[in-house]
Every structure is written in structure tokens, then in C-alpha cells.
Coordinates of all heavy atoms in Angstrom, one line a residue:
N1468 N 138.4 129.5 26.7 CA 139.2 129.2 25.5 C 138.3 129.2 24.3 O 137.2 128.7 24.3 CB 139.8 127.8 25.6 CG 141.0 127.8 26.5 OD1 141.5 128.8 26.9 ND2 141.4 126.6 26.9
H1469 N 138.7 129.9 23.2 CA 137.9 130.0 22.0 C 136.6 130.7 22.2 O 135.6 130.4 21.5 CB 137.7 128.6 21.4 CG 138.9 127.8 21.3 ND1 140.0 128.1 20.5 CD2 139.2 126.6 21.9 CE1 140.9 127.2 20.7 NE2 140.5 126.2 21.5
F1470 N 136.5 131.6 23.2 CA 135.3 132.3 23.5 C 134.7 133.0 22.3 O 133.6 132.9 21.9 CB 135.5 133.2 24.7 CG 134.2 134.0 25.1 CD1 133.3 133.4 25.9 CD2 134.0 135.3 24.6 CE1 132.1 134.1 26.2 CE2 132.9 136.0 25.0 CZ 131.9 135.4 25.8
E1471 N 135.6 133.8 21.6 CA 135.1 134.6 20.5 C 134.6 133.8 19.4 O 133.6 134.1 18.7 CB 136.3 135.5 20.0 CG 136.7 136.6 21.0 CD 137.6 136.1 22.1 OE1 137.9 134.9 22.1 OE2 138.0 136.9 23.0
Q1472 N 135.3 132.6 19.1 CA 134.9 131.8 18.1 C 133.6 131.1 18.4 O 132.7 131.0 17.5 CB 136.0 130.6 17.9 CG 135.7 129.7 16.7 CD 135.6 130.4 15.4 OE1 136.5 131.1 15.0 NE2 134.5 130.2 14.7
N1473 N 133.4 130.7 19.6 CA 132.1 130.2 20.0 C 131.0 131.2 19.8 O 129.9 130.8 19.4 CB 132.1 129.7 21.5 CG 133.0 128.5 21.7 OD1 132.9 127.6 20.8 ND2 133.7 128.4 22.8
V1474 N 131.2 132.4 20.1 CA 130.2 133.5 19.9 C 129.9 133.7 18.5 O 128.8 133.8 18.0 CB 130.7 134.8 20.6 CG1 129.7 136.0 20.2 CG2 130.7 134.7 22.1
D1475 N 131.0 133.7 17.7 CA 130.8 133.9 16.2 C 130.0 132.7 15.6 O 129.3 132.9 14.6 CB 132.1 134.0 15.5 CG 132.8 135.3 15.8 OD1 132.2 136.2 16.2 OD2 134.1 135.4 15.6
D1476 N 130.1 131.5 16.2 CA 129.4 130.4 15.6 C 127.9 130.4 15.9 O 127.1 129.6 15.4 CB 129.9 129.1 16.2 CG 131.3 128.8 15.6 OD1 131.7 129.3 14.6 OD2 132.0 128.0 16.3
L1477 N 127.5 131.3 16.8 CA 126.0 131.5 17.1 C 125.5 132.7 16.2 O 126.2 133.5 15.6 CB 125.8 131.9 18.6 CG 126.4 130.9 19.6 CD1 126.2 131.4 21.0 CD2 125.7 129.5 19.5
S1478 N 124.2 132.7 16.1 CA 123.5 133.8 15.3 C 122.5 134.5 16.0 O 121.9 134.0 17.0 CB 122.9 133.1 14.0 OG 122.0 132.2 14.4
G1479 N 122.2 135.7 15.6 CA 121.1 136.5 16.2 C 121.5 136.9 17.6 O 122.6 137.1 18.0
N1480 N 120.4 137.1 18.4 CA 120.6 137.3 19.9 C 121.2 136.0 20.5 O 120.7 134.9 20.1 CB 119.3 137.7 20.5 CG 118.9 139.1 20.1 OD1 119.7 140.0 19.9 ND2 117.6 139.3 20.0
K1481 N 122.1 136.1 21.4 CA 122.9 134.9 21.8 C 122.9 134.8 23.4 O 123.1 135.8 24.1 CB 124.3 135.0 21.3 CG 124.4 135.2 19.8 CD 125.8 135.4 19.3 CE 125.7 135.7 17.8 NZ 127.1 135.8 17.2
L1482 N 122.8 133.6 23.8 CA 123.0 133.3 25.3 C 124.1 132.2 25.4 O 124.0 131.1 24.8 CB 121.7 132.8 25.9 CG 121.8 132.3 27.3 CD1 122.2 133.4 28.3 CD2 120.5 131.6 27.8
V1483 N 125.1 132.5 26.1 CA 126.2 131.6 26.4 C 126.2 131.2 27.9 O 126.2 132.2 28.7 CB 127.6 132.1 26.0 CG1 128.7 131.1 26.4 CG2 127.6 132.4 24.5
V1484 N 126.0 130.0 28.2 CA 126.0 129.5 29.6 C 127.3 128.8 29.9 O 127.7 127.9 29.2 CB 124.8 128.6 29.9 CG1 124.7 128.2 31.4 CG2 123.5 129.2 29.5
L1485 N 128.0 129.3 31.0 CA 129.2 128.7 31.4 C 129.0 128.1 32.8 O 128.7 128.8 33.8 CB 130.3 129.8 31.5 CG 130.6 130.6 30.3 CD1 131.7 131.6 30.5 CD2 131.0 129.7 29.1
H1486 N 129.1 126.8 32.9 CA 128.9 126.0 34.1 C 130.2 125.7 34.8 O 131.0 124.9 34.3 CB 128.1 124.8 33.9 CG 127.6 124.1 35.2 ND1 127.2 122.8 35.2 CD2 127.5 124.5 36.4 CE1 126.9 122.4 36.4 NE2 127.1 123.5 37.2
L1487 N 130.5 126.4 35.9 CA 131.8 126.3 36.6 C 131.9 125.1 37.4 O 130.9 124.5 37.9 CB 132.0 127.5 37.4 CG 131.8 128.9 36.8 CD1 132.2 130.0 37.9 CD2 132.6 129.1 35.6
I1488 N 133.1 124.7 37.7 CA 133.4 123.7 38.8 C 133.6 124.5 40.1 O 133.5 124.0 41.2 CB 134.6 122.8 38.5 CG1 134.6 121.6 39.5 CG2 135.9 123.6 38.6 CD1 135.5 120.5 39.1
G1489 N 133.9 125.8 39.9 CA 133.9 126.8 41.0 C 134.6 126.4 42.3 O 135.8 126.4 42.4
S1490 N 133.8 126.2 43.4 CA 134.4 125.9 44.7 C 134.0 124.5 45.2 O 133.8 124.3 46.3 CB 133.8 127.0 45.7 OG 134.1 128.3 45.3
H1491 N 133.9 123.6 44.2 CA 133.5 122.2 44.5 C 134.5 121.6 45.4 O 135.7 121.5 45.1 CB 133.3 121.4 43.3 CG 132.4 120.2 43.5 ND1 132.9 119.1 44.2 CD2 131.2 119.9 43.0 CE1 131.9 118.2 44.2 NE2 130.9 118.6 43.5
G1492 N 134.1 121.1 46.6 CA 135.0 120.4 47.5 C 134.8 118.9 47.4 O 134.1 118.4 46.6
P1493 N 135.6 118.2 48.3 CA 136.4 118.7 49.3 C 137.8 119.2 48.8 O 138.5 119.7 49.6 CB 136.5 117.5 50.3 CG 136.4 116.4 49.4 CD 135.4 116.7 48.3
T1494 N 138.1 118.9 47.6 CA 139.5 119.3 47.1 C 139.5 120.7 46.6 O 139.7 120.9 45.4 CB 139.9 118.3 46.0 OG1 138.9 118.2 45.0 CG2 140.2 116.9 46.5
Y1495 N 139.2 121.6 47.5 CA 139.2 123.0 47.1 C 140.5 123.5 46.4 O 140.5 124.3 45.5 CB 138.9 123.9 48.3 CG 137.6 123.6 49.0 CD1 137.7 123.0 50.3 CD2 136.4 123.7 48.5 CE1 136.5 122.7 51.0 CE2 135.2 123.4 49.1 CZ 135.3 122.9 50.4 OH 134.2 122.5 51.1
F1496 N 141.6 122.9 46.9 CA 142.9 123.4 46.4 C 143.1 123.1 44.9 O 144.0 123.7 44.3 CB 144.0 122.7 47.2 CG 144.1 121.2 47.0 CD1 145.0 120.7 46.2 CD2 143.3 120.3 47.7 CE1 145.1 119.3 46.0 CE2 143.4 118.9 47.6 CZ 144.3 118.4 46.7
R1497 N 142.3 122.2 44.4 CA 142.4 121.9 42.9 C 141.6 122.9 42.1 O 141.7 122.8 40.8 CB 141.9 120.5 42.7 CG 142.9 119.4 43.2 CD 142.3 118.0 42.9 NE 143.2 117.0 43.4 CZ 142.9 115.7 43.5 NH1 141.7 115.3 43.2 NH2 143.7 114.8 44.0
R1498 N 140.9 123.8 42.7 CA 140.1 124.7 41.9 C 140.8 126.0 41.5 O 140.2 126.9 40.9 CB 138.8 125.1 42.7 CG 138.1 123.9 43.2 CD 137.6 122.9 42.1 NE 137.1 121.7 42.7 CZ 137.5 120.5 42.2 NH1 138.3 120.4 41.3 NH2 137.0 119.4 42.8
Y1499 N 142.0 126.2 41.9 CA 142.8 127.4 41.6 C 144.3 127.0 41.4 O 144.8 126.1 42.0 CB 142.7 128.5 42.7 CG 143.0 128.0 44.1 CD1 144.3 128.0 44.6 CD2 142.0 127.4 44.9 CE1 144.6 127.6 45.9 CE2 142.3 127.0 46.2 CZ 143.5 127.0 46.7 OH 143.8 126.6 47.9
P1500 N 144.9 127.8 40.5 CA 146.4 127.5 40.3 C 147.2 128.1 41.4 O 146.7 128.9 42.2 CB 146.6 128.2 38.9 CG 145.6 129.3 38.9 CD 144.4 128.8 39.6
D1501 N 148.5 127.7 41.4 CA 149.3 128.1 42.5 C 149.4 129.6 42.6 O 149.6 130.1 43.8 CB 150.7 127.5 42.3 CG 150.8 126.0 42.6 OD1 149.8 125.5 43.3 OD2 151.7 125.3 42.2
R1502 N 149.4 130.3 41.5 CA 149.6 131.8 41.6 C 148.4 132.4 42.2 O 148.4 133.6 42.5 CB 149.9 132.3 40.2 CG 148.8 132.2 39.2 CD 149.3 132.6 37.8 NE 148.3 132.6 36.8 CZ 147.6 133.7 36.5 NH1 147.8 134.9 37.1 NH2 146.6 133.6 35.5

């Protein structure tokens, strides 16, 4: 969300780190939507 705006707010060469919740258990079923 707002990825482009976050990039625009940085200057020069840029590094964006995205830290996921990924496959964190034991509630794996909460890490993906029904579809």
C-alpha cells in the first residue's frame, strides 16, 4: 500500500526493506486470503 508514494519520499539511491509475516505459524491459515 502506498508503495510509489513511499519511494517518492526517499531521495537518491534507495533501499526499501519489506519484512513479511510470511509463513509464520502455527496459524498458517491466517497468512493468506480465502481466494
Side-chain angles (χ1 to χ4, degrees):
N1468 286 346
H1469 313 298
F1470 179 82
E1471 294 81 359
Q1472 182 61 53
N1473 286 323
V1474 170
D1475 287 343
D1476 290 341
L1477 302 176
S1478 60
N1480 291 325
K1481 307 174 182 185
L1482 171 65
V1483 177
V1484 184
L1485 304 177
H1486 188 197
L1487 309 184
I1488 197 168
S1490 303
H1491 199 293
T1494 51
Y1495 305 113
F1496 67 98
R1497 291 181 179 165
R1498 309 300 170 229
Y1499 51 91
D1501 287 343
R1502 67 189 183 93

